[in-house]
Amino acid sequence: MPVYTVSNVQNLRICVVMVGLPARGKSFISQKIVRYLSWLSIKSKSFNVGNYRRQTGPPQPNAEFFDAKNKEAYKIRQQAVTKAVEDMMNWFVAEQGVVAILDATNSTRERRDWILRLCRENGIEPMFLESWCDDQELVLRNITDVKQTSPDYVGVDPEVAKRDFLERIAKYEEVYEPLDDNIDRDLTFVRLINVAQQVIINKIETYLESRVVFYVMNLHIKPRCIWLSRHGESVYNIEKKIGGDSSLSPRGLQYAKKLPDLVRQSAGDADLTVWTSTLIRTQETAQFLPYKQLQWKALDELDAGVCDGMTYEEIEEKYPEDFKARDEDKYEYRYRGGESYRDVVIRLEPIIMELERQENILIITHQAVLRCIYAYFMNVPQEESPWMSIPLHTLIRLEPRAYGTKVTRIKADIPAVSTYKEKGTSRVGEALTEATKSRHVLTNPSND
Amino acid sequence: MPVYTVSNVQNLRICVVMVGLPARGKSFISQKIVRYLSWLSIKSKSFNVGNYRRQTGPPQPNAEFFDAKNKEAYKIRQQAVTKAVEDMMNWFVAEQGVVAILDATNSTRERRDWILRLCRENGIEPMFLESWCDDQELVLRNITDVKQTSPDYVGVDPEVAKRDFLERIAKYEEVYEPLDDNIDRDLTFVRLINVAQQVIINKIETYLESRVVFYVMNLHIKPRCIWLSRHGESVYNIEKKIGGDSSLSPRGLQYAKKLPDLVRQSAGDADLTVWTSTLIRTQETAQFLPYKQLQWKALDELDAGVCDGMTYEEIEEKYPEDFKARDEDKYEYRYRGGESYRDVVIRLEPIIMELERQENILIITHQAVLRCIYAYFMNVPQEESPWMSIPLHTLIRLEPRAYGTKVTRIKADIPAVSTYKEKGTSRVGEALTEATKSRHVLTNPSND
């Protein structure tokens, strides 16, 4: 039985129109929003005009290309944005899209008026999101990121790239018209000033828009790490039972004792806060860590309802149809009287919001919950996330960067049972593939 | 075992300093914030300077009293704010307060600088919250509210009151200095312009501040109603079992059939949306309603964990210590493997936020969940809310107004068992008192 939230039944379609000079973090914000909404099962996609421009224009144009007076280049750039908007409109219809992001500078009022008109003609709510920045240090840091990662500067000498990029920004500055409290007072818009130091929000009308705004307000770009660990091996793990509230096994306790060393190796002297669930096995795992600790009910394991405390064999025998249904759609399947993965994601949303605001955090939680948190940071699709292998006695370090999340896995080298159940069997054993290998999830598509 | 959220362990103390001319909804916002935070167990209190002024000054001063050039009156007003701030500072220490609201016009920069200095000296984070309004229609509507409800105008002819109040506003306008993006750029502040049509947010630094801002952004003042109902009598209700996922009893079904009429009597032709939980008994109760329906997992009944499906007698026998502990602190008691009232409140928070944004909503849910939602709207203290009587087969209508919530109860006149358990017994029967009588929860203390 599907559970709806207000956001996906109102037949609402939103186009987030990014606005801002190059190197203002527009693509970073766009991709974070897509990742957040996709994780919440809200169909969303970013349309980067730079990618369209590279398909028809020169692969590595210099700054002159971005001069508004360069008629030929202007035509190519106009074609790119037209094609991006066309694809976006088709996507809304063909894929029942809910939130599209038009990731481009959209720096003139003329361009924005054109998008506004198209949105209105197609029954789409436009929300303008401007990233405005006059903090030169921030801009320069961003420029360094861009020239290292943009396809426009692959293989180009860093100094040449930087100089050219600064020139390109200057070309945009010549024609740039920021959103204006007065002229644009009838539009739905958000202005982020110097990475949310000041935020101006105008005429937000839907709940979904307000969620996006709140999310963006909570993002920061300070360097930090997030560590994830399952609890140590528990008595129930050994007995192959799911759920419950058992204590650690002797090997689980060994892991708890080793954890402070593992964390110190990875974090050095950095300060961090430990978050656990309210269940005994996570608190026992955290007991030797010399950091501030918080317990969250929202980090408790997926509730298996009537199956709590059973083995997979017992579930297969007693509820064969449920067992089969869960294998067929593990993300949506809700245990009788319990939860689905989708339910867990909804209750984890405040945890994610809080994580975005915080700096160093170590989370000690449970297999299903950890899969959901990991899926958010690594953009793992819903159909894959419930099948990811996240073994016991392993510390995972996530390092969010501007255009990716770096993953490091630190094995404690303490044996533990495998709790991984393969699809189609009730057998618990090692996973065949590890879906959680290091990968970078955000890319820098650069400007239009 | 207590569960902490980040907001109440950081030893954080915030003073929300209201800013704005009279009749800009400052007291309304102050009281909503206090109600919301208190409901989330965050200790908060509003200090209204107008109340202090009435203690030492004239009970019903006219506009001349508010002239900045009126030296004698100025002294009285200065004493009032000094006493309010003094009480606030004592409250932080004596009551371990977390969020205080200084509800006054605080309309000059000189006054605000003075508060700022006091906050900094006392280790308190100041957050300025300005309500700015140039929509004359809105202001006039607010003036009508104020003169009807303010103690300053009790027994005064409405026309005289209105004229005097407009004069009073004019006195304040002479010296009013709004927050300024540039001059005040180093302060943490929020400016609400024409009831959140535009919101400017500057230097929000803590999660708790960001929650308050998000909450305030979601408030609206359009007239609307919220209807609350428990599901119809269920099979488990008759068997005196708690929890489970049983169907309606024949009498419960009768209630479901009568509900469309009850709602129509109360709502007329108004459009509304029905929210249910994911459990069978709420959906069966909603089945004959001709409105759009949404299911929310967050509206499911308090999870009784290992006690799910048991009667109170069985719980008393099998878990006598738990039974006693729950009676002693019903709000905090968490069923083994289940939830406490506090846990339910945390998972209901997004429901409350969504409710604040919506217009007419009918919620069909469960006893404990309904108590929590009712407690939010009616400001019922935590120790009382789990003991409130909310009988079956009764539709409750809440009508939020500027300075109160009007409650109407509509009995369906269909018999049902009582599911009310008195403190200290395992007997289920009628409550002795109804803690949920009509009452207005917000007051209009008027200006300083």
Side-chain angles (χ1 to χ4, degrees):
Chain A
M1 193 184 306
V3 178
Y4 301 105
T5 61
V6 168
S7 50
N8 57 12
V9 292
Q10 287 174 329
N11 200 18
L12 185 67
R13 297 187 295 180
I14 293 170
C15 175
V16 178
V17 185
M18 299 303 297
V19 177
L21 291 171
R24 262 62 179 180
K26 295 183 301 300
S27 296
F28 171 70
I29 296 167
S30 303
Q31 292 179 65
K32 288 285 282 191
I33 295 172
V34 169
R35 193 141 61 90
Y36 172 68
L37 294 177
S38 304
W39 184 75
L40 289 171
S41 301
I42 295 164
K43 188 117 191 163
S44 50
K45 189 173 178 181
S46 172
F47 294 83
N48 176 272
V49 175
N51 284 340
Y52 284 87
R53 181 255 301 158
R54 272 182 293 272
Q55 280 170 26
T56 52
Q60 293 193 306
N62 66 17
E64 287 310 311
F65 183 85
F66 299 94
D67 192 321
K69 296 180 289 294
N70 182 338
K71 293 271 190 259
E72 205 174 323
Y74 184 80
K75 212 174 124 192
I76 293 170
R77 292 163 63 201
Q78 193 64 35
Q79 280 166 350
V81 70
T82 305
K83 184 79 176 75
V85 169
E86 199 181 295
D87 280 3
M88 181 177 81
M89 294 301 178
N90 289 335
W91 171 83
F92 274 119
V93 177
E95 311 263 336
Q96 282 89 53
V98 179
V99 178
I101 305 192
L102 190 62
D103 179 16
T105 52
N106 298 313
S107 48
T108 65
R109 194 155 279 114
E110 186 193 354
R111 162 68 55 84
R112 297 197 292 268
D113 284 345
W114 174 73
I115 296 166
L116 188 66
R117 208 166 50 244
L118 281 173
C119 282
R120 295 219 167 122
E121 282 169 14
N122 288 277
I124 290 156
E125 298 289 328
M127 173 164 98
F128 294 88
L129 203 171
E130 179 174 22
S131 178
W132 193 90
C133 188
D134 65 354
D135 180 330
Q136 281 312 309
E137 217 175 297
L138 269 177
V139 173
L140 284 172
R141 211 188 308 156
N142 235 328
I143 287 172
T144 309
D145 270 348
V146 170
K147 72 175 167 47
Q148 280 172 359
T149 52
S150 166
D152 288 350
Y153 293 114
V154 173
V156 178
D157 174 81
E159 269 313 302
V160 175
K162 186 178 172 185
R163 215 162 38 236
D164 182 79
F165 196 58
L166 284 168
E167 262 180 69
R168 186 197 292 194
I169 295 173
K171 298 290 182 197
Y172 276 98
E173 275 171 341
E174 283 170 20
V175 293
Y176 180 38
E177 296 163 293
L179 288 169
D180 185 285
D181 286 7
N182 193 30
I183 304 174
D184 299 309
R185 67 176 177 275
D186 292 329
L187 300 181
T188 294
F189 72 76
V190 185
R191 298 192 74 203
L192 299 172
I193 295 168
N194 292 326
V195 192
Q197 182 160 321
Q198 187 174 95
V199 183
I200 299 171
I201 300 162
N202 195 66
K203 285 214 159 184
I204 294 296
E205 282 176 4
T206 69
Y207 184 64
L208 189 49
E209 287 166 344
S210 88
R211 298 285 339 176
V212 171
V213 172
F214 185 56
Y215 176 70
V216 169
M217 270 168 58
N218 281 304
L219 297 179
H220 72 75
I221 49 170
K222 283 174 240 163
R224 55 91 174 249
C225 285
I226 294 160
W227 290 267
L228 305 174
S229 172
R230 292 175 62 189
H231 54 80
E233 184 188 70
S234 73
V235 174
Y236 261 37
N237 288 155
I238 296 177
E239 295 169 352
K240 299 191 175 171
K241 289 178 181 165
I242 65 169
D245 194 9
S246 68
S247 280
L248 296 185
S249 73
R251 293 193 300 198
L253 191 63
Q254 248 184 291
Y255 178 66
K257 285 183 179 157
K258 198 167 180 182
L259 197 50
D261 271 348
L262 292 183
V263 174
R264 201 160 29 240
Q265 274 170 37
S266 175
D269 292 334
D271 194 30
L272 56 87
T273 304
V274 180
W275 293 358
T276 66
S277 77
T278 67
L279 298 170
I280 293 165
R281 56 197 184 277
T282 63
Q283 286 163 42
E284 285 185 352
T285 307
Q287 68 185 304
F288 304 111
L289 291 164
Y291 308 106
K292 191 171 72 177
Q293 304 197 3
L294 294 182
Q295 298 165 31
W296 296 85
K297 179 83 184 161
L299 288 174
D300 282 3
E301 181 55 311
L302 185 148
D303 181 358
V306 294
C307 296
D308 189 74
M310 293 168 75
T311 66
Y312 286 119
E313 280 90 351
E314 285 165 354
I315 298 171
E316 190 175 18
E317 204 187 297
K318 196 160 175 197
Y319 302 106
E321 280 174 30
D322 286 72
F323 188 79
K324 201 159 155 269
R326 186 160 200 256
D327 262 10
E328 270 162 21
D329 191 350
K330 199 172 173 186
Y331 189 81
E332 296 289 352
Y333 173 79
R334 174 182 288 149
Y335 278 109
R336 298 183 187 204
E339 293 178 303
S340 64
Y341 269 84
R342 178 189 291 274
D343 294 332
V344 172
V345 160
I346 291 168
R347 74 158 141 99
L348 282 175
E349 197 271 348
I351 296 277
I352 291 297
M353 201 64 90
E354 179 81 44
L355 265 179
E356 287 291 357
R357 284 195 73 83
Q358 294 288 325
E359 304 196 7
N360 295 324
I361 301 286
L362 162 57
I363 302 178
I364 299 175
T365 180
H366 306 267
Q367 182 163 259
V369 173
L370 215 149
R371 280 174 176 151
C372 294
I373 296 173
Y374 191 92
Y376 168 77
F377 281 102
M378 302 306 289
N379 214 14
V380 180
Q382 278 170 10
E383 58 279 14
E384 277 181 37
S385 64
W387 296 104
M388 280 190 295
S389 159
I390 300 193
L392 287 166
H393 300 182
T394 307
L395 181 66
I396 300 173
R397 187 172 89 145
L398 302 178
E399 195 183 341
R401 293 177 177 185
Y403 293 105
T405 301
K406 199 184 156 199
V407 184
T408 319
R409 291 182 160 228
I410 305 148
K411 299 227 173 224
D413 199 22
I414 295 169
V417 296
S418 165
T419 58
Y420 188 85
K421 187 192 92 64
E422 268 176 62
K423 201 166 179 166
T425 77
S426 57
R427 201 171 59 82
V428 169
E430 210 38 72
L432 294 177
T433 54
E434 289 208 358
T436 52
K437 293 207 188 83
S438 301
R439 51 172 164 176
H440 283 224
V441 288
L442 300 182
T443 53
N444 174 11
S446 198
N447 308 100
D448 42 323
Chain B
M1 196 184 307
V3 179
Y4 300 104
T5 62
V6 168
S7 50
N8 57 11
V9 292
Q10 287 175 330
N11 201 18
L12 185 67
R13 298 187 295 180
I14 293 170
C15 174
V16 179
V17 184
M18 298 303 298
V19 176
L21 291 171
R24 262 62 181 181
K26 295 184 301 300
S27 295
F28 171 70
I29 296 167
S30 303
Q31 292 180 64
K32 289 284 282 189
I33 294 172
V34 169
R35 196 140 59 90
Y36 171 68
L37 294 177
S38 303
W39 184 74
L40 288 172
S41 301
I42 296 165
K43 187 115 192 163
S44 50
K45 188 173 177 180
S46 172
F47 295 83
N48 176 271
V49 175
N51 285 340
Y52 284 87
R53 182 254 301 157
R54 272 182 292 274
Q55 280 170 26
T56 51
Q60 294 192 307
N62 65 17
E64 288 310 311
F65 183 85
F66 298 94
D67 192 321
K69 296 181 289 295
N70 183 338
K71 293 272 191 257
E72 207 174 322
Y74 185 81
K75 213 176 123 191
I76 293 170
R77 292 163 63 202
Q78 194 63 36
Q79 281 166 349
V81 71
T82 305
K83 184 79 176 78
V85 169
E86 199 181 295
D87 280 3
M88 182 177 81
M89 294 301 177
N90 289 335
W91 171 83
F92 274 120
V93 178
E95 311 263 334
Q96 283 91 53
V98 179
V99 178
I101 305 192
L102 190 61
D103 178 16
T105 52
N106 298 313
S107 49
T108 64
R109 193 154 281 114
E110 186 193 355
R111 163 68 54 85
R112 297 196 293 268
D113 284 346
W114 174 72
I115 296 166
L116 187 65
R117 209 166 49 242
L118 282 173
C119 281
R120 296 219 167 123
E121 282 168 13
N122 288 277
I124 290 156
E125 298 289 328
M127 173 164 99
F128 295 88
L129 203 172
E130 179 173 22
S131 178
W132 194 89
C133 187
D134 65 354
D135 180 331
Q136 282 311 308
E137 217 176 297
L138 268 178
V139 173
L140 283 171
R141 210 190 306 156
N142 236 328
I143 287 172
T144 309
D145 268 349
V146 170
K147 71 175 167 49
Q148 280 172 359
T149 52
S150 166
D152 287 350
Y153 293 113
V154 172
V156 178
D157 175 81
E159 268 314 301
V160 176
K162 186 178 173 186
R163 215 160 41 233
D164 182 79
F165 196 58
L166 284 168
E167 263 180 68
R168 186 196 292 194
I169 294 173
K171 298 290 182 196
Y172 275 98
E173 275 171 340
E174 283 170 21
V175 293
Y176 181 37
E177 295 164 293
L179 288 170
D180 185 284
D181 285 7
N182 193 29
I183 303 175
D184 298 309
R185 66 176 177 276
D186 292 329
L187 299 181
T188 294
F189 72 76
V190 185
R191 296 192 74 202
L192 300 172
I193 295 168
N194 292 327
V195 193
Q197 182 160 321
Q198 187 174 95
V199 183
I200 299 170
I201 300 162
N202 195 66
K203 286 214 158 184
I204 294 295
E205 282 177 4
T206 69
Y207 184 64
L208 190 50
E209 287 166 346
S210 88
R211 300 283 340 173
V212 171
V213 172
F214 186 57
Y215 176 70
V216 170
M217 269 168 59
N218 281 304
L219 297 178
H220 72 75
I221 50 170
K222 284 174 239 161
R224 54 90 174 250
C225 285
I226 293 160
W227 289 268
L228 305 174
S229 172
R230 292 175 61 189
H231 54 80
E233 183 188 71
S234 73
V235 173
Y236 260 37
N237 287 155
I238 295 177
E239 296 170 351
K240 299 191 175 169
K241 289 179 182 166
I242 64 169
D245 194 11
S246 68
S247 280
L248 295 184
S249 73
R251 294 193 299 197
L253 191 63
Q254 249 184 290
Y255 178 66
K257 285 182 178 156
K258 197 167 180 181
L259 197 50
D261 271 348
L262 292 184
V263 174
R264 201 158 31 240
Q265 276 170 36
S266 175
D269 293 334
D271 194 30
L272 57 87
T273 304
V274 180
W275 293 357
T276 66
S277 78
T278 67
L279 297 170
I280 292 165
R281 56 197 184 278
T282 63
Q283 286 164 41
E284 286 185 352
T285 306
Q287 67 185 307
F288 304 110
L289 291 164
Y291 308 106
K292 190 171 73 176
Q293 304 198 2
L294 293 184
Q295 297 166 32
W296 296 84
K297 178 83 183 160
L299 289 173
D300 281 3
E301 181 55 312
L302 185 148
D303 181 357
V306 294
C307 296
D308 189 74
M310 292 168 74
T311 65
Y312 285 119
E313 280 88 352
E314 285 166 354
I315 298 171
E316 189 175 19
E317 204 186 299
K318 197 162 175 197
Y319 302 106
E321 279 173 32
D322 286 72
F323 189 80
K324 203 161 152 267
R326 185 160 201 258
D327 262 11
E328 269 160 22
D329 191 350
K330 199 172 172 185
Y331 189 82
E332 296 289 352
Y333 173 79
R334 174 181 288 150
Y335 278 110
R336 298 183 188 204
E339 292 179 302
S340 64
Y341 269 85
R342 177 189 293 273
D343 293 333
V344 172
V345 160
I346 291 168
R347 74 159 140 98
L348 282 175
E349 197 271 349
I351 296 277
I352 291 297
M353 200 65 89
E354 179 81 44
L355 265 178
E356 287 291 358
R357 285 194 72 83
Q358 294 286 325
E359 304 197 7
N360 295 324
I361 300 287
L362 161 58
I363 302 178
I364 299 175
T365 179
H366 307 266
Q367 181 163 258
V369 174
L370 216 149
R371 281 174 175 151
C372 294
I373 296 173
Y374 191 91
Y376 168 77
F377 281 102
M378 301 307 288
N379 214 15
V380 180
Q382 279 170 9
E383 58 279 14
E384 277 182 36
S385 64
W387 295 104
M388 280 189 295
S389 159
I390 301 193
L392 288 166
H393 299 180
T394 306
L395 182 66
I396 300 173
R397 186 173 91 143
L398 303 178
E399 195 183 341
R401 293 178 175 183
Y403 293 105
T405 301
K406 200 185 157 197
V407 184
T408 319
R409 291 181 159 228
I410 306 148
K411 299 228 172 222
D413 199 23
I414 295 168
V417 296
S418 165
T419 57
Y420 188 85
K421 187 191 93 62
E422 268 175 61
K423 200 167 178 164
T425 77
S426 57
R427 201 171 59 81
V428 169
E430 210 39 72
L432 294 177
T433 54
E434 289 207 356
T436 53
K437 294 208 186 83
S438 302
R439 52 172 164 175
H440 283 224
V441 289
L442 300 184
T443 53
N444 174 11
S446 197
N447 309 100
D448 44 323

